[in-house]
Amino acid sequence: MDRVIIFDTTLRDGEQAAGGTLNVQEKLEIARQLEKLGVDVIEAGFPVTSPGDFEAVRLISQEVRTPSICVLTHANLKAVDDSWEAVKGAANPRIHIVLSSSDIHLFYQLRKSREEIIDMSCSTVAHARKYCDNIEFSAMDASRTEPEYIYQLLKAVIDAGATTVNVPDTVGYAMPPQFGDLIDGVFKNVPNIGSAVVSIHCHNDLGLAVANSLEAIKRGARQVECTINGIGERAGNASLEEIVMAIRTRSDFFNLTTNIDTTQIYRTSRLVSDLTGFQVQLNKAIVGGNAFRHSSGLHIDGMIKMPTTFEIMDPKSIGIPSSSLVLGKTSGRHAFRERLSELGYSLKDADLNRAFTVFKELADKKKDITDRDIESLVAEEQRTVSEDYHLKRIQVTCGDQGVPTAAVRLIGPDGKTKEDAALGTGPIDALYKAINRIVKVPNSLTEFTVKSVTEGIDAIGEVLIRIESDGVTYTGRGADTDIIVSSAKAYINALNRLIAARGKDS
Ligand code: KIV
Ligand code: ZN
């Protein structure tokens, strides 16, 4: 069977989603997980746009050796030189050059002629070829470009040395049959197309990113650009998990394979959601909380008799933990470690000890500890480990009769205890004001959400917040059975990220 190259752009287009900034360590963590997932190419960043992206690409190139590591660059020689500096340490580096092709972009944005675009594209591709022989060229807004011009442009860049040519539906405008015809046209009308891989990159503005990608694959495209959970600019990109599972589940239709270890999908999805702060909608295909939940009596009856009556995929094939096993107060370290490893975590001894202590504390408050509780607990541990400020204790009083009051004790970066208190319009307002009196970093809260990790009145409550400072958004998360404590943890997490980012810039 033919294989489709999975090009993951979670760390580049995915991170471009409004409010989705990741720091260097978080990008590295996601890149390691993408390697486990088995993607062929990781687009690790757009290094000329920020020093943070440059550093992330450099580190990922050094550490993540199996997939090809790709950098996106503008079509100018200096940008190619600078981008190469970030990716040159990779085992298999790729330079990805992007330039607009549609008249609407040429006329209003670039103010260049079609001939100038061909010249700029070819000279940059030829220049990049001096550094490496793995060069991708993207004709931005290809789906709104006159097809004859696309054929001409792709032929020219292949002659100049491009080894992958990408046909993006940049604004999510295409309809599947029409997009498929464009790909057919590329195969029929670009005489040297056999010397390059044809790629597609679809956005989801009309909810058609996956449909367009699959149609293009059906017509012969052999690289698909996609992101975990479909995150990305505006309405996002085509979702990796949906494309991969469609190719696998309907292999009778596609007769194609990928290199993806599908049992890593669920874990990758959770990691990306945790680190970006973008929650996965309940009814999202493949990885949504309801994707394998059956509710109607008729369906449940069928499922009991034979799961394939209502399930076209086995949840285990996506890595969704199968057992309904719950841990509790009496579960020992061994059972805890076993469960962690079944969930895909392999913690070092020190981390395991810390996580086990927190697990025991949680088991004192909550009778049944489920897989979701364990995931939340490990994520919480990983978050707090390298932070400047730590929460030591909080005391909050509130109600409909008095003035909400919060007292906070933190451990600062110098290891010293700092305390303060404040009044507020509500408990969170009082709490955040008390923290502000200690940390003193101006910011404004732009988003605050609470959700319970599992059912039940004793569930862990996860708080996700976003704060903004100097036009940059920082995400924070916290989890605890007490949502006021979760709120404090989330705020301190966001402040720590803000402080770490400032430290790097100064
Ligand atoms: O949407 C787009 O066209 C892109 C290109 C860089 C491929 O993201
Ligand atoms: Zn894009």
Side-chain angles (χ1 to χ4, degrees):
M1 270 199 277
D2 228 349
R3 187 165 73 80
V4 178
I5 297 167
I6 302 294
F7 175 115
D8 180 278
T9 182
T10 306
L11 296 177
R12 201 279 298 167
D13 213 320
E15 207 223 6
Q16 267 172 236
T21 28
L22 295 163
N23 65 32
V24 173
Q25 285 312 316
E26 289 164 340
K27 286 188 182 174
L28 186 58
E29 197 177 339
I30 291 178
R32 288 196 192 109
Q33 180 59 31
L34 291 172
E35 183 176 36
K36 279 195 201 150
L37 179 67
V39 305
D40 301 288
V41 186
I42 295 178
E43 186 161 55
F46 200 165
V48 294
T49 59
S50 86
D53 246 27
F54 186 96
E55 186 53 12
V57 173
R58 202 183 59 77
L59 275 180
I60 292 169
S61 299
Q62 274 168 8
E63 284 205 24
V64 179
R65 309 297 288 177
T66 317
S68 170
I69 306 298
C70 172
V71 271
L72 183 65
T73 168
H74 303 296
N76 74 61
L77 306 192
K78 168 90 171 69
V80 170
D81 294 339
D82 294 347
S83 307
W84 173 249
E85 286 305 308
V87 80
K88 67 182 180 190
N92 179 6
R94 175 183 292 192
I95 301 175
H96 178 187
I97 297 159
V98 60
L99 192 57
S100 288
S101 57
S102 64
D103 285 343
I104 192 164
H105 281 206
L106 268 54
F107 185 78
Y108 290 106
Q109 194 183 10
L110 301 181
R111 298 181 193 286
K112 301 250 181 251
S113 68
R114 287 182 173 186
E115 292 68 34
E116 283 173 298
I117 295 295
I118 293 189
D119 285 350
M120 282 168 75
S121 306
C122 291
S123 58
T124 341
V125 167
H127 183 67
R129 267 309 281 254
K130 294 183 196 146
Y131 291 121
C132 73
D133 57 11
N134 187 349
I135 308 294
E136 174 166 340
F137 176 82
S138 281
M140 183 142 84
D141 207 16
S143 56
R144 292 194 302 167
T145 304
E146 190 191 305
E148 291 305 324
Y149 179 60
I150 288 284
Y151 308 148
Q152 208 187 331
L153 178 59
L154 297 190
K155 179 189 178 301
V157 293
I158 296 171
D159 280 341
T163 46
T164 300
V165 286
N166 187 29
V167 182
D169 182 24
T170 302
V171 290
Y173 179 75
M175 293 290 128
Q178 193 186 25
F179 194 57
D181 289 348
L182 177 62
I183 300 301
D184 270 348
V186 166
F187 281 109
K188 285 190 192 123
N189 298 297
V190 180
N192 53 0
I193 200 68
S195 311
V197 174
V198 175
S199 169
I200 57 247
H201 174 115
C202 298
H203 278 269
N204 207 28
D205 300 65
L206 292 172
L208 292 169
V210 170
N212 280 323
S213 303
L214 291 174
E215 183 66 33
I217 288 170
K218 194 69 186 157
R219 311 280 192 112
R222 283 298 171 267
Q223 174 177 286
V224 56
E225 305 197 356
C226 44
T227 60
I228 301 297
N229 300 336
I231 64 171
E233 189 79 46
R234 306 181 310 280
N237 288 69
S239 135
L240 180 148
E241 58 278 7
E242 292 177 25
I243 290 172
V244 167
M245 291 312 291
I247 292 175
R248 181 185 150 126
T249 308
R250 295 303 311 272
S251 60
D252 60 318
F253 179 75
F254 288 104
N255 201 25
L256 292 167
T257 58
T258 70
N259 262 349
I260 297 297
D261 173 359
T262 60
T263 63
Q264 291 292 331
I265 285 179
Y266 177 72
R267 173 135 175 60
T268 315
S269 162
R270 296 237 33 99
L271 180 71
V272 169
S273 169
D274 264 354
L275 295 182
T276 56
F278 294 134
Q279 293 182 11
V280 176
Q281 79 201 44
L282 260 186
N283 60 329
K284 161 91 176 62
I286 319 294
V287 289
N290 277 355
F292 293 94
R293 274 182 155 177
H294 303 266
S295 152
S296 98
L298 182 73
H299 288 210
I300 292 170
D301 175 61
M303 285 291 295
I304 292 168
K305 290 175 179 150
M306 171 57 90
T308 51
T309 50
F310 287 98
E311 247 174 30
I312 59 166
M313 294 166 276
D314 181 347
K316 275 194 242 135
S317 68
I318 291 143
I320 297 179
S322 60
S323 97
S324 52
L325 191 78
V326 287
L327 299 182
K329 219 174 170 153
T330 54
S331 310
R333 182 184 301 267
H334 181 69
F336 181 61
R337 186 199 288 268
E338 286 279 289
R339 199 72 208 115
L340 278 177
S341 103
E342 278 162 25
L343 291 172
Y345 296 100
S346 57
L347 300 193
K348 296 197 196 90
D349 280 349
D351 296 339
L352 179 80
N353 288 346
R354 256 199 327 271
F356 186 64
T357 310
V358 182
F359 163 74
K360 280 293 187 188
E361 284 166 13
L362 179 62
D364 272 338
K365 298 184 200 157
K366 188 173 186 294
K367 188 164 161 282
D368 295 333
I369 312 283
T370 66
D371 292 340
R372 279 294 291 121
D373 292 321
I374 294 175
E375 283 171 355
S376 171
L377 172 160
V378 175
E380 178 68 25
E381 266 308 291
Q382 286 170 344
R383 262 196 295 276
T384 48
V385 119
S386 58
E387 296 195 323
D388 274 354
Y389 284 92
H390 289 270
L391 180 66
K392 190 73 183 150
R393 64 199 298 177
I394 61 170
Q395 179 74 45
V396 174
T397 47
C398 64
D400 59 356
Q401 298 300 318
V403 180
T405 314
V408 180
R409 182 179 294 167
L410 305 183
I411 308 290
D414 53 6
K416 295 201 180 120
T417 302
K418 301 173 197 289
E419 293 176 313
D420 219 314
L423 307 176
T425 52
I428 306 296
D429 185 41
L431 179 63
Y432 284 18
K433 280 184 176 146
I435 295 173
N436 284 344
R437 290 172 68 95
I438 300 174
V439 181
K440 299 191 173 69
V441 184
N443 70 81
S444 52
L445 181 70
T446 55
E447 192 180 323
F448 181 98
T449 39
V450 191
K451 91 172 183 355
S452 76
V453 165
T454 53
E455 295 90 1
I457 198 75
D458 60 353
I460 290 182
E462 261 181 4
V463 171
L464 164 77
I465 65 160
R466 289 186 212 278
I467 59 174
E468 210 178 282
S469 182
D470 290 336
V472 184
T473 299
Y474 302 89
T475 308
R477 288 176 92 103
D480 199 279
T481 47
D482 180 326
I483 56 168
I484 303 292
V485 177
S486 312
S487 308
K489 287 178 175 174
Y491 189 40
I492 291 166
N493 180 234
L495 287 171
N496 278 318
R497 292 165 72 139
L498 191 166
I499 293 165
R502 291 266 165 89
K504 293 233 169 56
D505 292 345
S506 56

